[in-house]
Amino acid sequence: MTQLQNLSPAFDVLVVGAGAAGLYTALCLPEKFSVGLITKDTVSLSASEWAQGGIAAAISKDDSPALHLEDTIAAGAGLCDFAAVNFLAEKAPSCIQELVNMGVAFDRQGEQLALTLEAAHSRRRVLHAADTTGKEVITTLTAQVLQHQNISIIQKTLALSLWLEPQTGRCQGISLIYENRVIWVRAKAVVLATGGGGQVFAHTTNPAVSTGDGVAMSWRSGALLRDLEFVQFHPTALTIPGANSFLISEAVRGEGAHLVDDTGRRFAFDYHPKGELAPRDVVSRAIFTHLQNTATDPTKANVWLDIRPIPTEKIKYRFPNIIQVCKRWGIDVFNQPIPVAPAAHYWMGGIVTDLMNRTSIPGLYAVGETASTGVHGANRLASNSLLECIVFGAGMAKLELEDVGFVEQSSSEAVFKLSGSQWESQQAILTKLREQLPRLVWQSAGICREQKSLESGIAQVEVWRKEFDHLPLSKFLFNLTEAQIGVFEIETAHQQLASWGETRNLLDIAYLILTSALFRTESRGGHYRQDYPQTDRHWQVHTLVTAAKVWKSE
Ligand SMILES: Cc1cc2nc3c(=O)[nH]c(=O)nc-3n(C[C@H](O)[C@H](O)[C@H](O)COP(=O)(O)OP(=O)(O)OC[C@H]3O[C@@H](n4cnc5c(N)ncnc54)[C@H](O)[C@@H]3O)c2cc1C
């Protein structure tokens, strides 16, 4: 096999993704395994790093894993897996202790870890580090990973596709875009920790890396997926052009901020007796409906979050990052309300996994937001997702590997030739798809969905997928075999290859979300159908997807 600069052609385990799930998994894997930790950007960029509010665990005297379980199941709207939630809630306290031992500096109240209350939690159980909890966790985990000799961090490298053994269907590695080339790297086990897919929506709190790659890759390889229609929309993302829907944490409303419209009226109580503190999906729909009813152009309108009812000292202590980011965008939170609107925030659906993170494909594992472990059901309880990354990542300590015995094979180079102007016109199509697709998905599978727009959304995505398949790069890469290394003549190929890979994944997850949302003819949790506004007990089942087949679980 051709040896590429500094990159081993085989690892015991390849972990794709360096957010909380990927970093923690890599740390927990037995040290005797060689681990390749791949991230398409730098380690510092992930949704985990952006997490603000905190991480849940029943550690106070008046709390218990049983209460944590109860709250999680209530939020999940009938679709949580009891065993998975029990696993999460029971293991949470010891996992938090492990993070503290590693050096994560959660806020303290005296000697004790400080705990806050978040919506739908019946006890104070959310640990935090000011309003930058994710950053604190990721910085500590990264420092730990760097001390592990068995882990090689491979940055700016995008996983393209899974590599399955044709006879057994076992996952034996992945193809990667690495230093302007497409290469194949073997592994005895592959762990997908690629995070969510918020970028498929025009408005999202997620970072640019959240393009649903793990779900799309595993779907193309025939993995079993679940509940892809369930997306949590966060009600309060900053709506200033260029601010990338920066999240204004739920904790701000928890501490007493008011949601008001252009006339200054607190409208949330028109839609739910709990007003601003109703569940996230209810508040998101309230804002959506209110803007539909009152704004001249609801697609461009926003409401306002007034945080001045909170005592000034408390704002300064609890929300330093929010103050700073708002200030950067010209908003002085102490003197004016913040313009906000809902945005896609968390994807409950994903690759079906069991308590040992196994997927339906032998040798393939999934951890974190890309997985569907069963803990979130139809709606995620706030602060349970960082926890899921840690609790399930810890489970990888028990990984045992079969000795699959790699056979060395030689590779040849396949050179992709295209003129400068052809590269440009190809990029123009990719750019168009990246702009138009999220707008389409926001309109047809956003906060309120209905049959007609879902059907027309699917039809449009099919048209775009055909256009994508006809690109010269698509034809070249679809035909590249594992005995070939893809070589590109221009130096800037890496960027276009990455854009190609992400666009393909976004088209696939758009199709999967739209199809699953059309299939479920009821409203539940993060899925709201205007034409089926009620929850239907006959639909208290999962939506399962493999290849082109969509069906209900038993
Ligand atoms: C703004 C914001 C605030 C949040 N606040 C909270 C909170 O307070 N509490 C909480 O519990 N949850 C919170 N969440 C949710 C939580 O942060 C995420 O669900 C969780 O961090 C997901 O972790 P992950 O490791 O699965 O994915 P991520 O942290 O998103 O990491 C994904 C990693 O995969 C890499 N990757 C993706 N595709 C590829 C590919 N093809 N090739 C190579 N690398 C790839 C990315 O580069 C990245 O390193 C928040 C989310 C956001 C966006």
Side-chain angles (χ1 to χ4, degrees):
M1 186 174 275
T2 306
Q3 184 76 40
L4 283 145
Q5 293 159 16
N6 304 326
L7 184 63
S8 162
F11 289 89
D12 288 324
V13 186
L14 272 172
V15 179
V16 186
L23 289 167
Y24 205 67
T25 293
L27 284 173
C28 292
L29 282 164
E31 283 205 47
K32 63 181 177 190
F33 296 151
S34 62
V35 178
L37 178 63
I38 296 165
T39 172
K40 62 178 163 181
D41 206 280
T42 55
V43 176
S44 56
L45 193 84
S46 64
S48 303
E49 215 264 343
W50 286 15
Q52 299 178 358
I55 179 164
I59 61 166
S60 82
K61 285 205 180 76
D62 69 341
D63 200 0
S64 68
L67 288 172
H68 189 182
L69 174 138
E70 217 172 85
D71 294 344
T72 304
I73 288 191
L79 288 187
C80 288
D81 178 314
F82 184 89
V85 181
N86 196 37
F87 184 78
L88 181 85
E90 286 285 344
K91 299 219 178 274
S94 58
C95 282
I96 291 298
Q97 188 55 50
E98 198 51 46
L99 289 182
V100 172
N101 295 347
M102 282 182 176
V104 176
F106 291 116
D107 290 343
R108 298 207 171 235
Q109 213 160 24
E111 291 291 292
Q112 305 295 318
L113 290 164
L115 296 170
T116 191
L117 185 66
E118 279 191 350
H121 286 274
S122 58
R123 295 287 186 279
R124 295 183 85 88
R125 67 166 72 98
V126 178
L127 295 106
H128 47 83
D131 56 354
T132 46
T133 310
K135 191 171 187 173
E136 174 59 27
V137 171
I138 292 301
T139 308
T140 308
L141 296 184
T142 305
Q144 291 280 332
V145 162
L146 289 171
Q147 287 172 21
H148 277 61
Q149 299 289 324
N150 66 318
I151 306 173
S152 311
I153 301 181
I154 307 157
Q155 303 191 85
K156 298 274 178 193
T157 298
L158 185 127
L160 261 188
S161 295
L162 301 176
W163 181 12
L164 303 195
E165 222 271 320
Q167 277 81 37
T168 59
R170 190 187 166 80
C171 186
Q172 58 175 348
I174 43 181
S175 61
L176 296 173
I177 300 172
Y178 176 75
E179 293 185 348
N180 262 5
R181 289 163 169 241
V182 174
I183 60 165
W184 304 81
V185 178
R186 285 184 185 274
K188 293 175 189 160
V190 171
V191 184
L192 294 174
T194 48
Q199 287 296 325
V200 79
F201 293 94
H203 304 287
T204 181
T205 62
N206 290 190
V209 292
S210 305
T211 49
D213 298 4
V215 169
M217 270 190 275
S218 59
W219 175 66
R220 291 195 296 268
S221 291
L224 181 64
L225 310 177
R226 181 165 61 191
D227 295 339
L228 299 169
E229 64 275 33
F230 293 113
V231 177
Q232 189 173 79
F233 294 92
H234 199 288
T236 53
L238 182 62
T239 55
I240 293 182
N244 288 335
S245 296
F246 171 77
L247 180 84
I248 310 292
S249 166
E250 186 127 46
V252 177
R253 276 173 291 129
E255 297 290 359
H258 295 172
L259 264 180
V260 295
D261 62 15
D262 281 349
T263 66
R265 201 169 75 81
R266 272 180 92 179
F267 62 90
F269 290 93
D270 300 352
Y271 299 87
H272 195 280
K274 286 190 172 169
E276 289 95 353
L277 293 180
R280 274 182 193 172
D281 57 317
V282 175
V283 181
S284 291
R285 271 200 306 282
I287 297 173
F288 178 86
T289 313
H290 198 69
L291 290 175
Q292 292 282 329
N293 293 340
T294 56
T296 327
D297 180 357
T299 58
K300 296 206 176 103
N302 62 268
V303 294
W304 306 88
L305 189 65
D306 192 348
I307 77 172
R308 289 170 294 182
I310 308 171
T312 306
E313 282 315 307
K314 191 162 209 176
I315 298 175
K316 285 184 183 162
Y317 165 67
R318 283 288 280 122
F319 309 114
N321 190 41
I322 291 174
I323 299 172
Q324 205 185 19
V325 174
C326 286
K327 195 171 167 198
R328 205 182 307 145
W329 294 102
I331 310 276
D332 171 5
V333 299
F334 299 102
N335 285 307
Q336 64 195 119
I338 309 167
V340 292
H345 183 55
Y346 185 84
W347 199 5
M348 272 73 73
I351 310 161
V352 176
T353 52
D354 63 11
L355 293 183
M356 292 165 75
N357 305 308
R358 290 178 296 204
T359 71
S360 62
I361 297 180
L364 181 69
Y365 299 76
V367 184
E369 192 168 338
T370 195
S372 170
T373 57
V375 301
H376 305 302
N379 212 352
R380 173 188 74 122
L381 184 67
S383 292
N384 263 355
S385 41
L386 278 178
L387 179 66
E388 181 190 34
C389 295
I390 303 300
V391 168
F392 284 80
M396 295 309 284
K398 297 199 181 113
L399 181 71
E400 287 176 13
L401 293 178
E402 277 176 41
D403 197 0
V404 285
F406 295 140
V407 183
E408 285 279 317
Q409 63 178 51
S410 58
S411 307
S412 59
E413 290 191 342
V415 184
F416 179 67
K417 292 197 169 85
L418 213 59
S419 71
S421 64
Q422 284 171 313
W423 275 108
E424 272 170 33
S425 55
Q426 188 169 251
Q427 185 56 51
I429 293 175
L430 292 174
T431 306
K432 176 198 83 175
L433 294 175
R434 284 298 288 264
E435 278 169 15
Q436 295 188 353
L437 180 73
R439 269 188 249 144
L440 176 89
V441 179
W442 181 256
Q443 274 156 18
S444 39
I447 296 165
C448 295
R449 304 155 171 186
E450 49 89 30
Q451 182 178 345
K452 214 165 133 237
S453 64
L454 288 166
E455 282 173 348
S456 64
I458 293 169
Q460 182 58 60
V461 171
E462 297 281 24
V463 170
W464 284 335
R465 283 169 97 197
K466 285 202 180 92
E467 189 179 3
F468 180 86
D469 289 352
H470 280 98
L471 293 174
L473 192 53
S474 306
K475 289 183 182 157
F476 173 76
L477 290 173
F478 290 160
N479 289 319
L480 196 74
T481 71
E482 52 271 28
Q484 291 174 313
I485 291 176
V487 180
F488 304 87
E489 287 176 320
I490 59 166
E491 275 182 12
T492 52
H494 188 99
Q495 218 174 341
Q496 192 170 116
L497 284 166
S499 159
W500 179 89
E502 289 188 340
T503 307
R504 182 191 195 193
N505 293 334
L506 287 167
L507 285 166
D508 285 347
I509 66 163
Y511 169 79
L512 290 167
I513 292 171
L514 289 161
T515 308
S516 303
L518 180 64
F519 183 70
R520 183 174 288 273
T521 48
E522 65 150 0
S523 292
R524 179 186 298 272
H527 169 71
Y528 183 80
R529 288 277 302 251
Q530 271 167 328
D531 43 357
Y532 296 96
Q534 303 305 326
T535 300
D536 179 348
R537 65 187 170 82
H538 297 107
W539 269 104
Q540 196 174 337
V541 288
H542 298 286
T543 308
L544 298 172
V545 180
T546 300
K549 197 174 151 212
V550 184
W551 75 102
K552 285 182 181 179
S553 68
E554 298 287 304

